[in-house]
Amino acid sequence: MGSSSIAQEEPLLVDTPAIILSLIAQEPDNDVPAPGNQFAEFAAGCFWGVELAFQRIPGVTETEVGYTQGVSHNPSYKDVCTNTTNHAEVVRVQYDPNECTYETLLDLFWSRHDPTTLNRQGELVGAQYRSGVYFYTPEQEKLARESLEKQQKKLEKKIVTEILPAKKFYKAEEYHQHYLSRGGKNGHAQSPAKSCKDPISCFG
């Protein structure tokens, strides 16, 4: 994978908070997508660049970034960055299956990160940057596992992507949502237009 395909996010070092284990965080994601849409959810490092890539796919109707698969309820970005809550940074996608296949989303997922590095993408280290596919249906699980097997044949290193049922989704703070298409760190908005091929600068 080229380094340009991996989202970059400035590390945030914070004090370690007291973590309260929550059964709520272990519940399934029971949110409901828009009529005619389905959910898909992916962890592939920093969620900024990954979200913009998914925004550009025809048939994707909405994207949200957030946290999931952790042990605490309603975590903040500051909590997640302590690397003690076990949440992953994820992009939750809504897509119209009549216009976009789940396989298309999986193909983009593999292309946007290195799935062979455990809890790491580039210089970003921590459980929040792990690789994961979180499925909503048995069919999504089947397709994800088949896709992983195909991807593994292309790589020498072992893929460490986890494939798990989607758990409760905690939407990230508003400033993280559509971060790059709204200007990012430097105020330079990047196009979320469908099928746009412009390179993605992960700070903006």
Side-chain angles (χ1 to χ4, degrees):
M1 300 287 175
S3 60
S4 62
S5 68
I6 298 176
Q8 295 295 308
E9 180 182 275
E10 294 184 10
L12 178 64
L13 301 178
V14 299
D15 294 332
T16 302
I19 299 301
I20 299 176
L21 302 184
S22 171
L23 293 178
I24 296 175
Q26 308 305 310
E27 295 178 353
D29 183 357
N30 291 321
D31 292 347
V32 179
N37 281 236
Q38 295 181 10
F39 278 139
E41 192 172 83
F42 305 96
C46 168
F47 45 30
W48 294 338
V50 180
E51 181 184 35
L52 181 58
F54 278 114
Q55 284 179 276
R56 292 176 172 181
I57 293 183
V60 168
T61 59
E62 183 57 271
T63 60
E64 299 171 284
V65 298
Y67 319 114
T68 191
Q69 303 290 324
V71 298
S72 59
H73 179 55
N74 200 27
S76 67
Y77 181 60
K78 183 177 180 179
D79 294 334
V80 172
C81 286
T82 65
N83 199 30
T84 59
T85 72
N86 203 47
H87 286 90
E89 289 193 13
V90 297
V91 180
R92 188 172 70 174
V93 175
Q94 289 193 51
Y95 68 102
D96 181 344
N98 294 317
E99 298 183 18
C100 173
T101 66
Y102 189 65
E103 292 93 329
T104 296
L105 302 178
L106 286 166
D107 287 344
L108 178 65
F109 164 74
W110 296 119
S111 74
R112 284 298 308 174
H113 76 303
D114 182 351
T116 69
T117 53
L118 183 64
N119 296 335
R120 179 176 192 144
Q121 287 299 308
E123 297 180 356
L124 301 178
V125 180
Q128 69 267 38
Y129 302 121
R130 65 187 181 271
S131 175
V133 178
Y134 307 117
F135 58 85
Y136 286 83
T137 66
E139 178 66 11
Q140 284 189 355
E141 179 184 14
K142 176 177 177 289
L143 293 173
R145 295 193 184 283
E146 291 175 350
S147 181
L148 186 151
E149 291 179 3
K150 292 178 182 178
Q151 192 69 19
Q152 184 62 76
K153 294 177 181 178
K154 303 175 184 179
L155 303 172
E156 293 183 4
K157 295 181 180 180
K158 181 176 175 57
I159 290 176
V160 295
T161 302
E162 60 184 17
I163 300 177
L164 298 169
K167 292 183 179 179
K168 187 169 180 61
F169 173 81
Y170 295 99
K171 188 174 180 179
E173 294 81 349
E174 188 58 33
Y175 73 88
H176 285 301
Q177 306 300 324
H178 299 177
Y179 182 76
L180 296 181
S181 63
R182 297 196 306 180
K185 178 180 178 181
N186 299 315
H188 303 300
Q190 299 177 61
S191 175
K194 299 305 182 185
S195 301
C196 178
K197 302 298 184 183
D198 292 348
I200 293 176
S201 173
C202 295
F203 283 134

